[in-house]
Amino acid sequence: MTFTAFLFYSFAAVTVAAAVNMITIRNPIFAALSLVLVFVSSAGLWLLMQAEFLGIVLVLVYVGAVMVMFLFVVMMLDINLEEMRAGFTGPYLWAGLLVAVIMAAELIFVLKGGNFIEVPTVLHPEGYSNTKELGSVLYTEHVYSFEIAAVILLVAIIAAIALTFRRRTGTKHQNISDQVKVQAKDRLKVIDMKSERKS
Amino acid sequence: MALPDFLNNYWILLPEWMRLVVWTGIKIGMILLPVIICVAYLTYFERKAIGYFHSRKGPNRVGPWGLGQPWADVFKMLTKEIVIPAKSNNYLFIIAPVLAFAPAVAAWAVIPFSPTMTLANINAGLLYLLAMTSLGVYGVLIAGWASNSKYALLGAMRSAAQIVAYEIAMGFALVGVLMVSNSLNIGDIIEAQSGGITGWFMWPLFGLFVVYFISGVAETNRAPFDVAEGESEIVAGFHVEYGGFGFAVFFLAEYANMILISALTAIMFMGGWMSPFSETGPIGQYLLDIPFLGALLGDGFMWLALKTSFFLLLYLWFRATFPRYRYDQIMRLGWKVLIPVTIVWIFGEGIAIALGWKPWL
């Protein structure tokens, strides 16, 4: 077994174990952290396939930003573990089973069809820049789909803000530019008066 | 490198992959050890410098000029009892300091120390750095949650929101750098700044340079952005439950991050190991020909060290000068000031590159 193969099998084992752990574990914090581990080890797998741009961007975007937000929200939840352990019955069970059956059928259908072709690993020459290749394809051949994706994301951002933003009345807030512009004479009045004496 | 014969015999006996592992381990040690020693003396320098800012003397009891102080601190920390709060999550509580420290040192892998010295000269070095610096927040978040303490959780929440906000400005500032240098490789970015002090990116990208360093200070949770610790409000923030060794590792991570950000600012905007005098410049052409002094003033590690030290001094200077930001002011600065500045600057830069203006070529 070469060193690369050893690395591949270790990353693959960690990925699978963390993915199973993520689904089976009860505590949502541990589930989120397992998902982080899945992302990091899949980034390692991508690096082994010489896709360094995708691998590092996976860590940067998903681990560095998205999962931080996830954890941020999950940590603020008041988690009652007892309640989560109880009850996996009722309508949810049937809905879950239905989805599971459909997913399993789809997987079997895809895997049976023999759609897997063995792709030989292409060893790129030294000085080959994955990032540059990706950029030149993305901005020439697929520029329209790329820009449409960007616009959809922008719409989603604006929609998310518009849906959750409620103008509440009676809130207090500061006007920063007024605070910055304030002068000493606006706040402080020095008056000239004679000292008084109790008669 | 020539090894003695008997060692060389053993070395050849090792399988190929083990030689790779051992050799990489040695290289990692050669970077890690100096970084840790730098951290130790940075704490000394900080206390001494802030002491003089306050017209005090700073530590001066252990050894000559107090130079033994860091070691006294280290041994104190290491020999203290490790206390784990009863209702904390043991596993995460112990792993959190490690998660804070690991990315801080992993990022050093792609830093070029001199024209020929880099551990890993990878193509996507800049992206790797961004990814590593964004991982540091996990240590803080997990520490805050695992401690099972209100103050710790509040500190972790503050820190997470702050780091997410400032990371965007930081990333955009680096986008400006990569647009000018046309490469993600750190070595190429430094090479693109050749030609003496006027070639450095800090002049055409001055706004991004300032934004980058401010965001760097905020990312490392240092004063005046240190609300994650905020001792007057939430005691010590995310590491309130840590003592002894756990605290020491957090401390190490914070200072290693400070050195990293300073080194990165020096590399991205001030030419890294490049000398400010170029061989063709007005002064450099005479200066670099002087027998001994010329070699000392030419390109090399000392310039990187000097520039990094300058930014570290700025860190301490900020701490001694500015009062702590209020939390809403931090958010406002990050989202409403720094990010728009970077976006406008990148837009202008893009136009300049498209028109082919000289400073951007």
Side-chain angles (χ1 to χ4, degrees):
Chain A
M1 194 165 65
T2 58
F3 190 51
T4 326
F6 169 72
L7 279 181
F8 171 79
Y9 284 116
S10 350
F11 277 128
V14 170
T15 311
V16 173
V20 170
N21 195 41
M22 188 242 151
I23 296 167
T24 51
I25 210 159
R26 296 283 181 180
N27 191 329
I29 301 270
F30 281 106
L33 289 176
S34 307
L35 191 54
V36 170
L37 189 56
V38 173
F39 283 142
V40 171
S41 48
S42 354
L45 286 176
W46 278 1
L47 285 182
L48 282 179
M49 293 168 71
Q50 303 191 331
E52 79 271 2
F53 181 79
L54 289 178
I56 297 174
V57 164
L58 181 72
V59 173
L60 179 61
V61 175
Y62 280 89
V63 179
V66 174
M67 288 315 292
V68 172
M69 281 298 156
F70 254 68
L71 270 180
F72 192 87
V73 174
V74 171
M75 279 179 184
M76 290 210 270
L77 299 177
D78 188 22
I79 301 154
N80 189 347
L81 281 179
E82 286 306 309
E83 202 173 282
M84 297 190 68
R85 280 209 185 96
F88 188 63
T89 50
Y92 289 120
L93 177 64
W94 299 111
L97 274 179
L98 185 69
V99 172
V101 167
I102 292 173
M103 290 296 285
E106 271 180 8
L107 277 179
I108 290 167
F109 184 69
V110 170
L111 292 181
K112 258 189 81 180
N115 291 332
F116 290 103
I117 320 154
E118 203 167 308
V119 183
T121 322
V122 189
L123 280 179
H124 297 297
E126 205 170 316
Y128 172 86
S129 172
N130 200 296
T131 318
K132 222 165 223 162
E133 296 295 319
L134 211 63
S136 60
V137 173
L138 212 56
Y139 285 100
T140 54
E141 218 173 299
H142 301 291
V143 66
Y144 290 119
S145 36
F146 180 69
E147 286 184 351
I148 289 170
V151 171
I152 290 174
L153 278 176
L154 183 67
V155 170
I157 293 171
I158 295 171
I161 295 170
L163 284 175
T164 52
F165 183 74
R166 291 190 189 88
R167 196 175 290 278
R168 285 178 295 174
T169 51
T171 54
K172 292 180 178 171
H173 58 88
Q174 286 135 346
N175 190 339
I176 305 282
S177 56
D178 280 356
Q179 284 185 334
V180 172
K181 267 186 286 182
V182 79
Q183 303 279 314
K185 64 175 175 12
D186 304 333
R187 294 270 172 95
L188 189 73
K189 197 164 133 199
V190 182
I191 51 169
D192 197 13
M193 68 178 278
K194 288 213 171 65
S195 58
E196 293 179 16
R197 182 173 297 165
K198 237 179 199 170
S199 51
Chain B
M1 196 174 65
L3 284 169
D5 265 350
F6 69 98
L7 271 181
N8 208 13
N9 291 341
Y10 288 119
W11 182 247
I12 290 168
L13 279 180
L14 289 175
E16 175 78 31
W17 65 271
M18 210 189 266
R19 267 187 261 173
L20 188 73
V21 170
V22 169
W23 185 227
T24 313
I26 292 172
K27 285 199 245 180
I28 290 172
M30 276 162 63
I31 293 178
L32 201 57
L33 215 64
V35 167
I36 291 179
I37 291 173
C38 280
V39 167
Y41 275 94
L42 178 58
T43 62
Y44 167 79
F45 177 55
E46 172 172 37
R47 294 171 67 182
K48 209 70 177 168
I50 293 183
Y52 283 116
F53 276 121
H54 294 169
S55 24
R56 294 182 282 115
K57 281 211 182 293
N60 62 357
R61 293 290 129 175
V62 190
W65 307 291
L67 275 172
Q69 187 68 41
W71 302 109
D73 284 341
V74 166
F75 290 122
K76 184 197 79 175
M77 295 273 203
L78 294 191
T79 50
K80 277 173 90 168
E81 186 190 353
I82 298 175
V83 181
I84 297 178
K87 291 242 173 170
S88 70
N89 190 314
N90 279 4
Y91 174 65
L92 288 183
F93 188 81
I94 291 167
I95 211 170
V98 182
L99 282 180
F101 184 55
V105 288
W108 284 97
V110 294
I111 304 273
F113 294 99
S114 77
T116 50
M117 241 164 53
T118 330
L119 176 58
N121 189 8
I122 62 174
N123 270 338
L126 191 67
L127 273 177
Y128 172 81
L129 277 175
L130 273 175
M132 282 302 134
T133 45
S134 70
L135 288 185
V137 64
Y138 278 98
V140 175
L141 262 179
I142 291 173
W145 186 79
S147 306
N148 198 13
S149 152
K150 288 191 179 67
Y151 291 128
L153 189 63
L154 280 174
M157 291 292 143
R158 285 179 170 197
S159 166
Q162 180 180 331
I163 288 180
V164 168
Y166 280 84
E167 207 172 83
I168 301 171
M170 212 168 176
F172 273 144
L174 291 185
V175 166
V177 171
L178 86 93
M179 278 166 74
V180 185
S181 63
N182 227 336
S183 172
L184 282 170
N185 182 305
I186 310 283
D188 290 351
I189 290 176
I190 295 177
E191 291 290 347
Q193 303 182 55
S194 59
I197 191 165
T198 47
W200 294 354
F201 287 160
M202 63 176 289
W203 307 118
L205 304 177
F206 191 75
L208 297 181
F209 165 61
V210 173
V211 167
Y212 183 80
F213 192 61
I214 294 176
S215 318
V217 176
E219 282 264 302
T220 43
N221 286 327
R222 293 290 297 178
F225 302 100
D226 58 344
V227 289
E229 290 172 32
E231 49 284 82
S232 57
E233 302 147 26
I234 49 173
V235 199
F238 64 90
H239 56 48
V240 64
E241 302 290 346
Y242 285 86
F245 196 61
F247 176 75
V249 176
F250 271 120
F251 204 70
L252 209 60
E254 182 177 335
Y255 282 77
N257 266 324
M258 277 167 67
I259 302 177
L260 180 70
I261 294 287
S262 305
L264 285 183
T265 319
I267 285 170
M268 301 295 169
F269 296 96
M270 288 176 76
W273 42 258
M274 289 262 177
S275 159
F277 310 106
S278 85
E279 280 162 25
T280 50
I283 315 168
Q285 52 184 334
Y286 306 112
L287 212 57
L288 295 183
D289 283 341
I290 304 170
F292 177 71
L293 203 66
L296 213 58
L297 291 173
D299 299 341
F301 174 67
M302 56 281 178
W303 285 109
L304 180 66
L306 200 69
K307 292 165 189 171
T308 308
S309 314
F310 169 70
F311 286 113
L312 284 172
L313 178 67
L314 280 188
Y315 260 102
L316 309 183
W317 199 344
F318 288 161
R319 189 176 166 196
T321 309
F322 295 123
R324 185 177 291 141
Y325 266 104
R326 215 170 52 206
Y327 195 70
D328 64 311
Q329 289 171 333
I330 290 184
M331 284 296 141
R332 180 177 168 272
L333 180 71
W335 290 104
K336 293 189 179 172
V337 179
L338 296 187
I339 293 177
V341 165
T342 54
I343 290 176
V344 169
W345 203 284
I346 287 174
F347 191 69
E349 197 187 327
I351 291 174
I353 290 173
L355 294 179
W357 284 351
K358 195 60 195 158
W360 282 280
L361 278 178

